[in-house]
Amino acid sequence: MTDQIPGIRHAGSHNFFLMAGPCAIEGEEIALRIAERIVSITDKLRIPYVFKGSYRKANRSRIDSFTGIGDEKALKILAKVKSEFGVPAVTDIHESAEAEMAAAYVDVLQIPAFLCRQTDLLVAAAKTGKTVNIKKGQFLSASSMSFAVDKVKDSGNDKIILTDRGNTFGYQDLIVDFRGIPEMRAFGVPVVMDCTHSLQQPNQSSGVTGGKPALIETIAKAAIAVGADGLFIETHPDPKNAKSDGANMLQLDLLEDLLLKLIRVREAVL
């Protein structure tokens, strides 16, 4: 189902596709370094790839948390990744007015999970003509996402992806209900598993989100086994010193080995 993402390489591959990169755009040098490494791996393994990076982080617990390096500066870095490596890019938007701005730089507009019911935001993203990746709200059932899909389609855009990122479990944890993947695939759109945000531990007393990155492989294997079309993985060369969401990101050096394992899982279930 990679035909939903124009310009993606290895579209004819039988592999899952990958959305991966840093949580936030921290600077040009590190963004290009991460992209170069992932492109090298995914080209070797023939995995269709979309570079991920948030130009701004709007949903933060504390006012002193890192939110970005400036919208235009970060969006230009996303555009440079695209031009240098020939891969599509995805970034999230938070308000309707941002859709047209971000669409000038990236190929996929991502709707954050907490905003997946915001009609004006979905319609604005749809009207850009870009692919719209809607993250399932932690507070919603998989079946409820049919309404988000309909909002984008009814706005004249059928390039839609749905991404699961777990369900709220108490106040400080998330749990993944893997039944949701086939439920959402039944809507006729590609479904992605967010393997890193689904392992967050939000609402910590410190105001900094925790995570369980040791379970990324477990979540990814299970998602592929039940039919996920793609995986979303935030990765960084030094997660402990990442400026955003380091507690649940994958160490970049571990990505290739993980993808090799997942290809074997994919081959076993096809």
Side-chain angles (χ1 to χ4, degrees), residues 196 199-200 208-214 239-240 242 244-250:
T196 44
L199 291 167
Q200 282 184 334
V208 178
T209 298
K212 298 180 180 178
K240 289 182 179 178
S244 177
D245 283 0
N248 53 267
M249 278 201 277
L250 180 72

Side-chain angles (χ1 to χ4, degrees), residues 8 27 39 49 68 71 78 103 114 116-117 127 131 161-162 171 190 212 214 233 241 244:
I8 198 167
V39 167
Y49 172 55
D71 292 356
L78 285 163
F114 280 129
C116 68
R117 286 172 50 95
K127 287 185 175 179
T131 302
I161 299 169
L162 292 179
Y171 289 112
K212 298 180 180 178
I233 298 175
N241 289 306
S244 177

Side-chain angles (χ1 to χ4, degrees), residues 110-225:
Q110 183 167 286
I111 308 299
F114 280 129
L115 302 177
C116 68
R117 286 172 50 95
Q118 297 296 103
T119 301
D120 289 350
L121 183 59
L122 289 165
V123 171
K127 287 185 175 179
T128 67
K130 299 291 184 174
T131 302
V132 182
N133 178 33
I134 314 169
K135 285 198 165 183
K136 185 187 78 63
Q138 303 93 319
F139 46 87
L140 286 178
S141 67
S143 61
S144 297
M145 290 302 291
S146 64
F147 301 109
V149 171
D150 289 344
K151 288 176 184 179
V152 176
K153 284 185 175 179
D154 290 347
S155 301
N157 189 336
D158 61 1
K159 298 195 294 290
I160 304 164
I161 299 169
L162 292 179
T163 295
D164 195 347
R165 51 99 75 236
N167 292 343
T168 298
F169 188 68
Y171 289 112
Q172 294 178 319
D173 209 356
L174 297 165
I175 191 167
V176 178
D177 181 354
F178 285 99
R179 296 174 299 178
I181 291 175
E183 280 187 59
M184 291 191 291
R185 290 190 83 239
F187 304 151
V189 300
V191 175
V192 172
M193 184 71 231
D194 184 337
C195 303
T196 44
H197 286 102
S198 60
L199 291 167
Q200 282 184 334
Q201 294 179 303
N203 303 317
Q204 299 298 305
S205 58
S206 65
V208 178
T209 298
K212 298 180 180 178
L215 292 174
I216 291 171
E217 181 176 322
T218 300
I219 296 292
K221 284 178 176 177
I224 294 299

